[in-house]
Structure formats: C-alpha cells, structure tokens
Amino acid sequence: MTTTADATSAHATSSAADATTADATTGDVDVARAASKPYLVPLTRERLRTVLDEALVHRNELTGALSQLTFSSPAAYESAGRADTAGRAGTDGPARTDWAVGPFAVDPAFTFTLDGQWPDPDGLGWTSESLYNPSLIEHDGTLHLFYRASPRKESLGSRIGHATLALTPDGEPAPGAAWVDDPANPVVRPTLDDELFGTEDPKVYRAEGRFWLFYNGVFPITEEARVAHPSPGYPVQAVGIDMLVAVSDDLVTWQKLGPIADHEQTRLWAKGAVIPRDEHGNAVRLGGTGDDAGDYLMFVSEGFDGVLHVGRSDDLRHWTFEPVPYLDLTGVGGRLHEVAAAIVTGDGRLVLDVFHDVDGVFAASQALYDVERPVDQLALTPGGSLSWGGLQKIGGRWTFTQGWDAPAGRRDLYFYRADAARTDPAGSHTPAPHTTP
C-alpha cells in the first residue's frame, strides 16, 4: 500500500543538479519508451536528496495506526456470512467459508528485525525507520524475503531490501539459523526517472525458469504530464506510479527491465502487479482449455482512470491490459482501495485478497473464482491477509509477513501463519537471530 496523495509537487520544479545515479543494472530498459516520456522529471542526486528530506518529516496518522490482526484474526473472518455469485449478502449466517485462506496468527520463530543501516550508494545519508509490505519465496531450502524499507512509515523515498533464512525440510527455521540481510542492500533503489520518488512494495514470482520481481516506481507529476494523460476518473495530483519489473536467475543479482504498461493506458497511475501465485510462489497460467495452458494474468485495481483492468502475458515481460469488471464488493460493502494478492489454492480455486473500506473504516475481504473462469466472481467473504507481497506455504501453512505492528523505533517484520498459535506481535519484541551488514 502506498499513501502518497499528500506529497507535494516541489520535486517537479526543483532545479537540475548533478548527474543521474548510474551504477544500477538496468538491463534492456526500453530507451525508446523512456524517450517518449519527456514530461518525467529527470532523476538526479539532488532531487533524490530533496525526496529524502521530505520523507524524513512525513507522518500519516491514518495508515500509521494500521494493525494486522484487525484484518486477519478469526474475528475478522466471522463478521458476516457468505455472499452469492452476484456479490449480494448471503443468508448462511456467520459461519466461515471453506475456501477462504486464513485466519492467521503470529509465529514468533520467524520474526525478522533489521539493526543498523545499509550503506548508501547514492551518498545522501539515506536511512530507514520502517519495514513493511514484503514478499516471500522459498527456494532450495532457503527462505527469501524482499521488503520495503522507508525513511518513515508509508513515506516516499523507499528502497527494497533482501534477506535470507535457512529452513529445515519441515519448513521451520534451521537449528541455529540466523536471518542474513543481503550485504548488497538495497537490491532495488531509484535509478530510473519513473523511480525518483521511490521503489516500493516488491512482489516476487517464479516462472519461465527465472525469478521476477515486480514493484512500484513512484515519480512526480508535472502539468505537462497531466495534460498529456488526463485521468478524470482517477484524479492524479502530484504523484504518479508505474508497475516495473526486474529479473534474476538466483534471487541475488537483479536486472531491471523497466515499466510494463504505458501511460497512455495507465493515465500515470497503476500499481500492484497482482499475479496469481501457487503455494510455492510460482506464477500460474489460468484460463486455458485443452492443450492451451492459458495466460499469466495480472489483476490491476488502482489507476487506469479508475477502471478495473486485467493484464495478460505469455512470458511475464510483455503485457496487454483490458478493462474487465472482475470484482464486486456489494456483499461486504464499502469502497475498493486495492487487490493485495491472488492465491491459487490447489483445489481449482483462485482467491483474491482485497483491501477496501466500509464507511471510512479499513477492511479486508476475499473473493472466490474458479481457475478455469478466473474473472467471474463466485463468492465474497470478510477477512484476509492484506499481504501485498502474496502468500505461500511454509511448512504446509499459508504464510505472509508484515511490519505494521512493529513498535515505534523498531524495524520488525512479523510472520503470520494459518493455524498458528496466536501471539500479540507488539507484546513480544524478541526477534529471531539475524545478522546485518
């Protein structure tokens, strides 16, 4: 989740300074596409420094008060009955559905805490105060964690970090294992004009024999950009967001490939590259028949001039998007903010994890689909993970991680697992062993 609406447009008019940061691996970023966006403010060190200065004074009381178990505890799942295929409230009473993923509780054995500060390759004095919206994937007995680190909670100026933990064959932390924070952190930081305001909210997938890291690139909006790409249905003010992708063969070295959608379609705002993922972190093709394996789908719920879109791809690199009304919240009420995750549960079901509000109060719900008809909603129920990085099974349990409940002054990520013993994360501040650079 990103709360950038209160950002100012000062960056858009700040003066050009020293050269653009140039030491990131940008791979085959489309130079022609970049040249076709002259309205983007060029990324310079001086502008990055201005972003950091503003981030360090950022405060948002509304999102600062978010607490995970408000959305993910058993009580959150039992607050209403099922909904029918039209999204209308059902008459089954408060019994929980048999298809929803969750509820969840904290497993303190996995807690990650970041001590110290990363080296700052841009020489800005950049530091982090808050960790959140991470993504997990297990590979060859190692749990890989990709996480957003921000100067302040929900501020601009974020970077993406990486850490690893050795697991037993049963999916538990190996005896004596310690979280190891990647000495190369930040593994993704702003190096493109689309990323001047930060790199946020990683989502990692395994597909096509490689690993794919989708993330949000945040950038300032100029008046020239608003004129070129008006968005009356989803007004864009000082901040725009692109969906970008990087690829890796080893989860360590990443190659940026750049944005996956054009501003002509997104109207300067599109975020949350939500691709259906199975219990192992694999992106799953859906909608095929016979010998046709189907396409990779992406459920986009923010931007695109306020219209729900679904992306389709054969290779996860090249995407086409079309408007598809795949979600109806009538059964639970409220206004959609964002689809957080898409989970293929292994029994022919696809579940979307949805962030919305009801009368101004934040809420989570889940929507049910058949993998053979992945845009035709079947049911809706309250409760969810709000895991922007997706879920996967660790030790046979659906698992995700989030940092909202970390006490002030701590950079903790707590692990929430289905059917785990309940623990109050704010009441236990003893992290799993770890090392930091």
Side-chain angles (χ1 to χ4, degrees):
M1 180 175 61
T2 305
T3 53
T4 52
D6 58 346
T8 69
S9 58
H11 309 279
T13 57
S14 61
S15 60
D18 44 355
T20 301
T21 304
D23 57 346
T25 301
T26 53
D28 63 349
V29 172
D30 193 333
V31 176
R33 173 181 288 177
S36 71
K37 297 186 285 187
Y39 48 80
L40 288 185
V41 178
L43 183 150
T44 67
R45 287 187 176 87
E46 185 59 35
R47 289 190 173 117
L48 287 174
R49 192 173 291 113
T50 301
V51 174
L52 175 62
D53 289 343
E54 294 191 7
L56 291 173
V57 298
H58 174 85
R59 290 291 183 273
N60 187 316
E61 298 301 326
L62 189 62
T63 56
L66 289 173
S67 181
Q68 186 64 54
L69 293 180
T70 301
F71 312 108
S72 302
S73 68
Y77 281 70
E78 295 168 356
S79 60
R82 300 181 179 118
D84 63 18
T85 55
R88 295 183 295 267
T91 58
D92 306 41
R96 208 160 62 229
T97 67
D98 63 355
W99 55 264
V101 180
F104 299 88
V106 173
D107 185 344
F110 284 84
T111 299
F112 172 79
T113 298
L114 181 64
D115 293 327
Q117 295 290 345
W118 298 336
D120 177 13
D122 298 312
L124 307 175
W126 186 94
T127 57
S128 63
E129 180 187 82
S130 181
L131 310 182
Y132 50 102
N133 293 0
S135 188
L136 294 171
I137 194 165
E138 186 274 332
H139 182 62
D140 288 344
T142 298
L143 186 59
H144 292 259
L145 170 69
F146 294 88
Y147 59 92
R148 174 179 172 182
S150 291
R152 294 291 184 267
K153 190 172 184 180
E154 293 286 359
S155 74
L156 295 175
S158 294
R159 310 286 188 262
I160 294 173
H162 171 231
T164 57
L165 177 69
L167 300 177
T168 68
D170 295 329
E172 299 298 324
W179 277 108
V180 178
D181 204 53
D182 194 329
N185 281 335
V187 293
V188 178
R189 75 182 203 282
T191 59
L192 307 174
D193 293 346
D194 308 72
E195 304 168 343
L196 173 56
F197 277 1
T199 51
E200 306 179 345
D201 300 354
K203 302 176 188 294
V204 63
Y205 304 91
R206 181 191 293 104
E208 305 297 312
R210 309 188 78 183
F211 299 97
W212 303 78
L213 188 70
F214 291 82
Y215 62 98
N216 300 330
V218 191
F219 57 92
I221 295 294
T222 62
E223 183 60 29
E224 181 185 4
R226 280 191 289 270
V227 170
H229 302 292
S231 183
Y234 195 95
V236 178
Q237 302 300 324
V239 175
I241 294 184
D242 276 342
M243 298 179 293
L244 298 99
V245 64
V247 294
S248 175
D249 294 317
D250 58 7
L251 288 163
V252 175
T253 302
W254 292 92
Q255 178 186 33
K256 286 185 178 181
L257 301 182
I260 62 170
D262 291 323
H263 290 162
E264 184 64 31
Q265 278 196 298
T266 69
R267 320 309 289 176
L268 305 174
W269 189 289
K271 61 181 295 227
V274 177
I275 301 169
R277 197 173 81 146
D278 69 12
E279 65 183 71
H280 304 294
N282 300 306
V284 179
R285 294 177 182 268
L286 296 178
T289 58
D291 294 332
D292 179 10
D295 295 318
Y296 297 111
L297 303 185
M298 181 182 296
F299 294 89
V300 185
S301 51
E302 277 202 34
F304 280 86
D305 201 25
V307 178
L308 293 175
H309 274 64
V310 172
R312 295 180 181 273
S313 176
D314 188 54
D315 60 3
L316 278 128
R317 172 65 185 100
H318 303 94
W319 293 86
T320 58
F321 295 89
E322 60 180 353
V324 179
Y326 61 83
L327 182 64
D328 181 353
L329 292 180
T330 304
V332 292
R335 177 175 66 94
L336 175 66
H337 289 295
E338 192 175 354
V339 174
I343 310 145
V344 177
T345 60
D347 52 6
R349 292 167 171 170
L350 167 68
V351 176
L352 298 189
D353 202 85
V354 180
F355 177 53
H356 61 108
D357 71 53
V358 180
D359 297 327
V361 178
F362 290 143
S365 293
Q366 293 184 7
L368 175 66
Y369 304 77
D370 188 297
V371 294
E372 295 183 356
R373 294 179 290 114
V375 297
D376 298 331
Q377 183 176 324
L378 300 176
L380 190 67
T381 192
S385 71
L386 297 191
S387 171
W388 272 262
L391 296 86
Q392 81 159 82
K393 283 190 176 179
I394 305 295
R397 295 175 174 175
W398 287 107
T399 301
F400 70 96
T401 179
Q402 187 56 275
W404 290 338
D405 289 308
R410 292 187 62 88
R411 288 170 297 162
D412 294 343
L413 290 172
Y414 300 111
F415 281 66
Y416 299 82
R417 307 180 74 187
D419 304 319
R422 295 188 67 182
T423 302
D424 176 9
S428 176
H429 299 163
T430 304
H434 64 280
T435 62
T436 55

